[in-house]
Amino acid sequence: MQHSRRREYHIVVLGAGGVGKSCLTSQFVHKEWIEYYDPTIEDVYRKVIDVDGRSCILEILDTAGTEQFTAMREIYMKAGQGFLLVYSITSLSTLTELSDLRDQILRIKEADSVPLVIVGNKSDLEEDRAVRRDRAILLSQKWGRVPFYETSARKRQNVDEVFLDLCRQMMRADVGGSG
Ligand code: GDP
Ligand code: MG
């Protein structure tokens, strides 16, 4: 049937090295905690999920580049429809780095806004916290109330929630083709 056609969305997971992009992706896709991930591995994962009664195919690119402005990065930013911008609550510089990433996304997509979620990972490491929640909330407001979650890939807290939020934003923006 035409309207039960599956939508397909391209998600790009971005952020500094070591913030937990691969662990978050693995927890979401396979429900598996992996203590050590090769930091140089960049890979694409596919998962079918149900969002408010609609089946969606997600293609998730777990990025690994430390270099910021490469041709490759431009290509996948252009193809991406939703972005998880991940920092670690244990490192302030990983949060401040997100602004450059967002600027780059908006420039490449020639848009004022794109489906995006700010993700403060490693929330289980409260004793090592270096970034207060207010700090990320301020950034979220500056960017036009972009959704913000703190997550723990280790404890699998808020992992599904960030992906679902992003899916709902992409559905609202109606960016998915017919899969
Ligand atoms: P990436 O470079 O952003 O892909 O980061 P990884 O997913 O490889 O994770 C980097 C390191 O942080 C690994 O040693 C993980 O075990 C650890 N890590 C990732 N997520 C969490 C988390 O939610 N809590 C804690 N305590 N450690 C995490
Ligand atoms: Mg990784």
Side-chain angles (χ1 to χ4, degrees):
M1 247 173 34
Q2 265 314 86
H3 29 299
S4 60
R5 205 173 52 174
R6 274 179 178 170
R7 303 233 141 193
E8 184 166 330
Y9 296 106
H10 295 253
I11 292 176
V12 184
V13 186
L14 287 162
V19 297
K21 298 179 296 296
S22 298
C23 290
L24 277 168
T25 304
S26 159
Q27 276 286 25
F28 177 64
V29 175
H30 300 124
K31 292 194 161 61
E32 254 171 26
W33 165 250
I34 294 173
E35 181 78 31
Y36 177 77
Y37 244 99
D38 182 335
T40 64
I41 287 182
E42 186 157 281
D43 215 344
V44 176
Y45 301 84
R46 284 171 74 85
K47 187 179 170 85
V48 178
I49 62 160
D50 183 274
V51 184
D52 308 322
R54 288 180 68 175
S55 182
C56 301
I57 301 167
L58 303 184
E59 210 178 274
I60 303 160
L61 174 65
D62 169 29
T63 67
T66 46
E67 74 299 318
Q68 293 260 317
F69 303 95
T70 62
M72 198 52 215
R73 183 155 278 209
E74 285 211 17
I75 291 167
Y76 65 60
M77 278 187 175
K78 196 148 206 158
Q81 295 159 325
F83 299 84
L84 292 184
L85 293 194
V86 187
Y87 70 95
S88 163
I89 71 153
T90 65
S91 159
L92 183 57
S93 65
T94 64
L95 175 71
T96 52
E97 274 183 46
L98 298 185
S99 292
D100 275 354
L101 282 171
R102 177 171 175 272
D103 288 348
Q104 199 183 357
I105 294 165
L106 295 181
R107 192 172 60 243
I108 286 168
K109 297 196 69 74
E110 298 174 29
D112 300 329
S113 76
V114 290
L116 194 147
V117 176
I118 300 171
V119 182
N121 189 44
K122 307 197 186 182
S123 64
D124 57 291
L125 296 180
E126 191 56 52
E127 65 279 15
D128 299 324
R129 178 185 288 272
V131 187
R132 288 171 47 173
R133 286 181 63 92
D134 325 8
R135 188 85 193 219
I137 290 168
L138 221 59
L139 189 66
S140 133
Q141 284 167 348
K142 189 174 154 203
W143 291 356
R145 297 189 182 278
V146 166
F148 157 61
Y149 296 80
E150 285 192 351
T151 61
S152 169
R154 178 182 285 271
K155 300 237 162 106
R156 209 174 192 287
Q157 277 166 1
N158 269 351
V159 174
D160 292 337
E161 285 80 356
V162 296
F163 282 92
L164 263 175
D165 190 311
L166 192 58
C167 287
R168 292 197 176 105
Q169 289 184 55
M170 291 187 293
M171 286 170 116
R172 254 182 273 131
D174 200 28
V175 291
S178 52

